[in-house]
Amino acid sequence: MSHKGKAIDAPATEDLDYLQPGSVVEVSHENNDCLRVWYTATIIERRATSTNDERYVVQLTDIYQDRNSGTKLLLEYNSVDIRPLPPPLPPRKFKAGDMVEAYYQNGWYEGEITLMLDNYNCMFQISSRFLLFGVNQLRHHRTWFNGDWIPPLNLYVTKSIWDEDLTDRMMEIDSNQLEWETDSGSAETSTAGTGNILEESDQKTKEEFSEGERVEVANIDEDGFNQAWLAATIVKPVENNRYIIRYETLRTGNDTGFLVKEMDSLHIRPPPPDIPVPHQFKMFDNVDALYKGGWWKGIITRVLPRGSRYKVHFDNNGKVMEFKHSDLRLHLDWIDRKWTRPSPEV
């Protein structure tokens, strides 16, 4: 684990309380993937140097040099790589594109929310992996600069936007046994599915899915619209047409396994039938594109040279992205328990 600091202006440290021995702070690392991570630490002492660098010995709170003996890691940092412990803020609503810090493997990783699954869970990219985090594992990204937080703390809401408790319920699969637990800060969080993907809300689905059956489940955004379909497996049915499912592409926040979630049958469907994929798609074909672990509905807007790559316009957000042939499939709609082919766009 390297600990490179970014060169930023910093004030003189003589009167800075947070740099005094015994102060709890956060120190900045850049790991091998050039991701900036903040770890909680305690100032041990100021280290005299032959240059004008202000360096400090810190003891990391949750990183061990020898876990068996309980010896915690001591490292040396420049003052520019140390900041006060950010003050706690009340929960706030997040959206895709927000710059945040996600708590993962004992540190706060800087990055951008890739996708909001619902009001309480989001996808966040760390290196080459997309992981799922609950909102109680996120905080808005702020920079400590010349003794102030940027953006200022007073720009943030001062009370929770939710009336209910944000404590998430989670489930862990242990052999063949399901256990409900109350999460008070764990990285493995899940919530029941929300929203409705059917226009006729009074229709009751009568599909029954069997334990172990492979299915696809809807990814509903905060406005109730389905953004994508993700592969999953039925773990077990529960009452009132609800099922415990385990995703095949979304992992828990601490990367210990695949996310388990309870969903209603309105947001579950069988996988589309295995129909032949054309040798080459053509303009205005309705397709599903494999993106961020799910199948997103779109339309071919351009066939690139040699026909092996395509421009696809996503229906839900208007974005146009490039995909290779192997990451596309013909789009089918699941209507009245039947697969139907949509009419071509003209």
Side-chain angles (χ1 to χ4, degrees), residues 58-66 69-74:
V58 306
Q59 183 180 63
L60 299 182
T61 304
D62 299 308
I63 308 295
Y64 290 84
Q65 181 173 339
D66 184 349
S69 66
T71 304
K72 295 184 177 180
L73 187 63
L74 292 173

Side-chain angles (χ1 to χ4, degrees), residues 54-127:
E54 295 159 346
R55 299 185 66 81
Y56 294 82
V57 176
V58 306
Q59 183 180 63
L60 299 182
T61 304
D62 299 308
I63 308 295
Y64 290 84
Q65 181 173 339
D66 184 349
R67 185 172 290 275
N68 291 332
S69 66
T71 304
K72 295 184 177 180
L73 187 63
L74 292 173
L75 291 174
E76 190 174 305
Y77 287 88
N78 286 323
S79 61
V80 294
D81 296 318
I82 306 174
R83 69 183 186 183
L85 198 65
L89 289 174
R92 188 183 178 195
K93 193 173 185 179
F94 295 95
K95 64 182 184 300
D98 278 351
M99 294 302 298
V100 297
E101 295 167 11
Y103 192 75
Y104 177 67
Q105 293 184 345
N106 301 315
W108 292 94
Y109 280 70
E110 294 182 4
E112 180 180 330
I113 292 178
T114 305
L115 176 70
M116 290 300 301
L117 297 177
D118 50 40
N119 284 338
Y120 305 98
N121 295 284
C122 74
M123 286 179 65
F124 186 94
Q125 185 175 6
I126 294 179
S127 186

Side-chain angles (χ1 to χ4, degrees), residues 206-217 230-237 243-248 268-272 334 339:
K206 298 184 181 302
E207 301 96 331
E208 291 187 0
F209 301 99
S210 303
E211 183 175 330
E213 183 177 352
R214 296 187 72 246
V215 294
E216 290 187 343
V217 295
L230 290 86
T233 301
I234 299 293
V235 176
K236 65 176 293 185
Y243 295 83
I244 306 300
I245 62 96
R246 181 172 54 244
Y247 288 97
E248 296 183 3
I268 306 174
R269 70 181 190 182
W334 178 247
W339 289 106

Side-chain angles (χ1 to χ4, degrees), residues 180-305:
W180 280 101
E181 295 186 18
T182 300
D183 179 27
S184 58
S186 166
E188 298 189 34
T189 59
S190 75
T191 58
T194 58
N196 189 344
I197 63 172
L198 295 182
E199 294 294 335
E200 300 84 45
S201 59
D202 57 344
Q203 280 189 331
K204 294 184 179 179
T205 59
K206 298 184 181 302
E207 301 96 331
E208 291 187 0
F209 301 99
S210 303
E211 183 175 330
E213 183 177 352
R214 296 187 72 246
V215 294
E216 290 187 343
V217 295
N219 165 33
I220 307 298
D221 65 15
E222 60 185 23
D223 296 319
F225 295 104
N226 181 24
Q227 293 185 305
W229 289 93
L230 290 86
T233 301
I234 299 293
V235 176
K236 65 176 293 185
V238 292
E239 58 185 9
N240 298 326
N241 291 323
R242 300 184 69 85
Y243 295 83
I244 306 300
I245 62 96
R246 181 172 54 244
Y247 288 97
E248 296 183 3
T249 56
L250 292 184
R251 298 186 67 84
T252 54
N254 59 5
D255 202 21
T256 59
F258 290 101
L259 180 71
V260 176
K261 188 174 183 178
E262 180 180 325
M263 299 190 74
D264 62 72
S265 58
L266 291 175
H267 302 97
I268 306 174
R269 70 181 190 182
D274 188 14
I275 58 176
V277 176
H279 177 69
Q280 181 176 337
F281 294 101
K282 58 184 183 295
M283 289 277 288
F284 307 120
D285 273 350
N286 289 277
V287 296
D288 294 331
L290 185 60
Y291 178 56
K292 297 179 181 176
W295 291 97
W296 300 62
K297 182 175 183 261
I299 298 172
I300 300 286
T301 58
R302 184 182 175 189
V303 180
L304 299 179

Side-chain angles (χ1 to χ4, degrees), residues 120 160-166:
Y120 305 98
S160 171
I161 62 169
W162 295 291
D163 292 330
E164 67 269 24
D165 187 359
L166 281 179

